[in-house]
Amino acid sequence: MAAVKITGIEITHHRLNYDPPFHASWDTRPRTLFDATIVRVHTDAGITGVASGDMMVGFAGHEGLFVGQDALAIERHWRLLNNIQFHWGRCWPLDLALWDLAGKIAVQPVWRLLGGLSPRLPAYASSGTLRAPAALADAAEAYLARGFKALKIRFHRGALNREDWRADIRALEAVRARVGDKLQLMVDCNQGWRMSWDAYPSWSLKEAIPVARELERLGVYWMEEPLHRGDREGMRALRGMVDLRIAGGEMTRELYEFRDLIKDGCLDVLQPDAALVGGITGLRRVAAMAQEHNLVFTPHTWTNGMGVVANAHLAAGVGDSPWLEFPYDPPEWGLERRDYMMAKPLDVDAEGCIVLDETPGLGYALDEDRLKRTRTG
Ligand SMILES: [Mg+2]
């Protein structure tokens, strides 16, 4: 079979407006809209690769670097995307679209091309709001009833009042009291980065230590982003003080930073997101690094449904992720919002697992009517 050549890259922008608003714990501004960018890579074989998950900031003017090239020259394309992200901004959905395309050319699902370890992934429900203790305990029961075996809760009540982490502990205690050990619990402190408009500081090591000790007491599986992403000494020190796993890396930009985070002994759990960092091509290297150092690799997936699917293929292909993030916190963050661009939302089965199938590529279908109605550019 002759090489399949790229003939064009089409990028469209979409916006979903919604009500009631979503008060994300890591954002001081309530959210009432959700933007998505869809990337389509067309070829001379009539096959199109599609992906989403980031805004493709920095791609303008670069299409010519890819048109006319062999669609399967993924390493070459990845090097150029790495250059583009350094100079102009992140464009990793293009790498995901190239993998969707590669799967369609090979008539194989991407998880199988990547290594095919298991198409079945235990998912953890990743909540996004800050509910009061009783409401959070109710939500935990609802997650359990839906099949989930793990839940990540948010610690951010202290964003503007630095003593309020004790209110977070009370919420966690309420969940433990209600569901016992039936749910594995993770906690995301969201101290690694801030939204553009938020100027309040990250925790210091001395602030994170008492929180970590409480989480350890309550049997939490991992503590996510307890410190600023650049506080490597703090992460290493905290990791040495508690048995609790320390997780991070969701917005780490460069793959070599993962090498250094590992070398410096900062993290137990590595959480890059293929839609935001390195694409599938780059993150399979991080997965290999994690395996070599006996660390947990489990992608962050908080973009949109197509981003979740791409990360699920990566995790399923290389295996060993004990849990994969499944952003879900109804009613504010339900599947109809998260996956509005997809013909069918990605859901978990009765056991709380994401199960990928044999559909070639990344396996999703787009809701073209909805994409037309929500198109902004
Ligand atoms: Mg996080």
Side-chain angles (χ1 to χ4, degrees), residues 152 154 188 190 193 224-225 250 271 300 325:
K152 186 164 87 186
R154 301 285 167 173
D188 195 342
N190 284 111
W193 52 272
E224 182 168 329
E225 294 202 312
E250 65 186 35
Q271 301 174 295
H300 169 274
E325 180 170 40

Side-chain angles (χ1 to χ4, degrees), residues 29 73 110 130-131 143 156-157 204 225 236 250 265 279 313:
R29 294 185 180 177
V110 171
L130 294 170
R131 301 192 194 286
Y143 284 120
H156 226 72
R157 290 163 183 81
S204 66
E225 294 202 312
R236 182 174 54 223
E250 65 186 35
H313 277 266

Side-chain angles (χ1 to χ4, degrees), residues 110-134:
V110 171
W111 65 267
R112 212 180 267 293
L113 293 187
L114 289 169
L117 271 174
S118 169
R120 189 176 167 82
L121 298 157
Y124 69 85
S126 185
S127 68
T129 58
L130 294 170
R131 301 192 194 286

Side-chain angles (χ1 to χ4, degrees), residues 136-265:
L136 188 62
D138 290 345
E141 273 192 318
Y143 284 120
L144 199 55
R146 222 174 167 303
F148 288 101
K149 306 278 193 296
L151 167 65
K152 186 164 87 186
I153 71 170
R154 301 285 167 173
F155 263 37
H156 226 72
R157 290 163 183 81
L160 302 171
N161 174 352
R162 296 168 77 90
E163 280 303 304
D164 273 0
W165 62 271
R166 293 182 194 282
D168 293 311
I169 297 291
R170 285 193 288 278
L172 176 62
E173 283 171 334
V175 172
R176 254 307 171 237
R178 187 77 68 85
V179 302
D181 293 331
K182 286 187 230 147
L183 279 176
Q184 191 77 255
L185 297 175
M186 298 84 157
V187 164
D188 195 342
C189 305
N190 284 111
Q191 301 297 326
W193 52 272
R194 295 284 176 248
M195 301 300 294
S196 327
W197 42 85
D198 285 332
Y200 62 94
S202 296
W203 287 346
S204 66
L205 174 62
K206 292 291 184 190
E207 287 169 298
I209 290 168
V211 184
R213 292 200 167 126
E214 289 288 79
L215 300 195
E216 194 167 41
R217 174 178 70 82
L218 289 160
V220 165
Y221 187 79
W222 77 52
M223 181 185 198
E224 182 168 329
E225 294 202 312
L227 296 166
H228 185 269
R229 63 187 180 279
D231 189 357
R232 292 190 184 172
E233 281 189 30
M235 283 187 257
R236 182 174 54 223
L238 187 62
R239 191 171 171 233
M241 286 178 191
V242 288
D243 294 336
L244 185 70
R245 296 168 185 83
I246 304 299
E250 65 186 35
M251 295 290 270
T252 295
R253 283 288 180 90
E254 301 278 2
L255 297 196
Y256 61 76
E257 292 182 89
F258 284 100
R259 175 198 67 201
D260 294 345
L261 285 162
I262 292 169
K263 183 162 56 73
D264 293 349

Side-chain angles (χ1 to χ4, degrees), residues 74-82 92 255 278 281-282 285:
I74 281 178
E75 281 293 326
R76 178 260 182 203
H77 304 325
W78 182 83
R79 291 183 187 187
L80 268 55
L81 284 171
N82 215 19
W92 297 110
L255 297 196
T281 309
R285 299 175 194 192

Side-chain angles (χ1 to χ4, degrees), residues 9-11 13 55-67 76 80-81 84 87-89 91 94:
I9 297 173
E10 186 189 350
I11 293 173
H13 303 284
M55 299 299 132
M56 297 290 290
V57 173
F59 193 68
H62 293 112
E63 186 189 11
L65 298 175
F66 301 92
V67 170
R76 178 260 182 203
L80 268 55
L81 284 171
I84 292 169
H87 290 291
W88 304 100
C91 299
L94 178 55

